[in-house]
Amino acid sequence: MSKNILRLAEIDRVIHEPGRLMIVALLAAVEEADFQYLRQTTGLTQGNLSTHLSKLEGAGYVQVEKTFRGKYPLTLCRLTERGKEALEGYKKVIKGAL
Amino acid sequence: MQELSSRLLVENPDEIAKRLLLKAHTRDGLPEMFVGLLFVLAAPLNWMSSNLDRSSMGFKGSFVAGYVGWLLLAVSIPWLIKWARRRFLVEQEGYVQLKSSKRMVIRILLVAAVVCMLLGAAALWLKPPGLDRWILAALGLFVCAVWSLIGQTLRFRVVGALNGATGILLAFNGLSIEISLAIFFGVSGLASLLSGLVVFIRFMRKPIRPGE
């Protein structure tokens, strides 16, 4: 079996989930986004998105900051350097396997 | 959902992000409305050039001012959209800070639109025989292509096709090129404005669910 296919076994399972992959891919493409934007754009439910963000934050891939914009509360999310490296590694594994 | 999930896991994350961002950017109809307004405002500029005395200072002054004002509006659109979203729609849309490279793409597209407008103006002033008709047809096809590439949804393709068909039909009819351009920009602008307005109304009717 090809070495690249075997590498699939090492794939980052934190990222390799459709909901979390969408979140990480989206955050990699922007500077920062808030919870409402992520929910609207990914189509995930509030509960699902919260769960995925908690997992990503726990893995150190996403930084979550609660702040305000005027009177409007924002939960800002950004991809950390660790998250960016994890995503690059994930892309290499997927590209190699496919 | 199951099928979408499986598909996502074999896609390049960059492509996933591009699609999601495009969907997010066009979900409220604001870009279409602003571009539609821009085109609608271009219509009287072209009409002026055929109905006013070109040698008069009044014409030259208002024409130049109109074009400069139009160009300023064209390059300001990304900032106007961003301002409108952050000022009025943050509860519905949420908040995002795009990377500067994305803003560069938007600027490039706007510059392309401005170049089209300048080509149209050059055709009006230089009047090479027949070339202005082909420029109008090419403009219609160019706008069609831009809409189809930017939107990638049915409504963008429909508006794009309308632009292409209008450009070609007007290019080879008996009307003067100035009137044809005015009609082209008017029809294209109205189509885009209406399409954007319908999307905007539907977007605003969605219930606001509080963020976390």
Side-chain angles (χ1 to χ4, degrees):
Chain A
M1 202 184 268
S2 139
K3 219 189 263 186
N4 285 330
I5 303 277
L6 285 171
R7 281 189 69 197
L8 274 176
E10 301 161 25
I11 205 164
D12 187 334
R13 288 178 192 277
V14 173
I15 295 181
H16 191 67
E17 193 285 332
R20 290 194 289 271
L21 178 58
M22 278 199 291
I23 294 166
V24 169
L26 193 53
L27 287 177
V30 301
E31 295 285 354
E32 58 187 13
D34 85 322
F35 186 92
Q36 174 77 324
Y37 183 86
L38 289 174
R39 190 179 66 187
Q40 290 269 15
T41 309
T42 59
L44 294 168
T45 62
Q46 190 163 330
N48 259 351
L49 182 57
S50 286
T51 305
H52 288 317
L53 281 174
S54 296
K55 186 121 189 171
L56 289 167
E57 196 182 9
Y61 293 169
V62 165
Q63 179 196 7
V64 177
E65 179 195 340
K66 289 189 193 277
T67 182
F68 283 87
R69 194 173 183 82
K71 291 179 187 172
Y72 182 70
L74 286 181
T75 302
L76 286 177
C77 304
R78 293 177 205 96
L79 203 61
T80 60
E81 284 305 318
R82 195 169 162 193
K84 287 174 192 169
E85 286 166 15
L87 182 60
E88 288 307 310
Y90 176 86
K91 280 194 240 178
K92 280 188 187 136
V93 169
I94 289 289
K95 199 175 169 184
L98 296 173
Chain B
M1 187 64 193
Q2 184 78 20
E3 201 189 301
L4 171 66
S5 302
S6 313
R7 220 169 58 220
L8 277 175
L9 290 176
V10 294
E11 267 196 75
N12 183 342
D14 295 334
E15 290 302 315
I16 296 170
K18 214 187 286 184
R19 247 197 353 264
L20 289 174
L21 283 173
L22 187 61
K23 186 179 107 179
H25 188 60
T26 56
R27 69 176 161 224
D28 58 9
L30 280 184
E32 287 157 86
M33 283 164 65
F34 274 102
V35 170
L37 181 66
L38 194 69
F39 272 42
V40 161
L41 290 174
L45 287 177
N46 288 282
W47 177 88
M48 261 167 47
S49 68
S50 73
N51 285 282
L52 301 178
D53 176 12
R54 287 191 189 199
S55 57
S56 72
M57 281 310 294
F59 168 78
K60 286 173 182 153
S62 55
F63 194 73
V64 168
Y67 261 94
V68 168
W70 188 90
L71 286 171
L72 284 173
L73 177 62
V75 298
S76 307
I77 281 179
W79 287 273
L80 287 171
I81 292 173
K82 185 170 147 182
W83 172 79
R85 282 174 176 165
R86 288 196 183 171
R87 179 72 178 82
F88 301 110
L89 301 176
V90 73
E91 278 189 72
Q92 288 89 346
E93 302 229 23
Y95 166 84
V96 66
Q97 178 67 37
L98 295 176
K99 284 193 172 164
S100 55
S101 56
K102 298 281 183 278
R103 294 197 284 266
M104 184 60 71
V105 168
I106 294 166
R107 280 192 203 115
I108 288 169
L109 285 172
L110 275 173
V111 166
V114 165
V115 165
C116 286
M117 187 68 180
L118 291 174
L119 278 176
L124 290 174
W125 282 107
L126 298 173
K127 285 264 190 208
L131 181 62
D132 47 3
R133 298 273 166 199
W134 286 104
I135 286 179
L136 177 53
L139 182 63
L141 291 171
F142 175 75
V143 173
C144 173
V146 168
W147 275 121
S148 305
L149 283 170
I150 286 178
Q152 295 183 5
T153 57
L154 180 64
R155 75 175 195 268
F156 281 92
R157 289 187 183 126
V158 166
V159 173
L162 180 67
N163 276 287
T166 306
I168 290 169
L169 282 170
L170 287 171
F172 302 108
N173 64 21
L175 295 170
S176 71
I177 188 63
E178 295 87 351
I179 298 292
S180 297
L181 273 172
I183 295 172
F184 173 78
F185 283 115
V187 168
S188 304
L190 278 172
S192 177
L193 200 50
L194 283 170
S195 166
L197 195 58
V198 167
V199 170
F200 180 73
I201 289 169
R202 287 175 69 184
F203 177 76
M204 293 302 287
R205 279 187 174 171
K206 282 188 194 166
I208 300 171
R209 274 173 271 161
E212 195 177 69

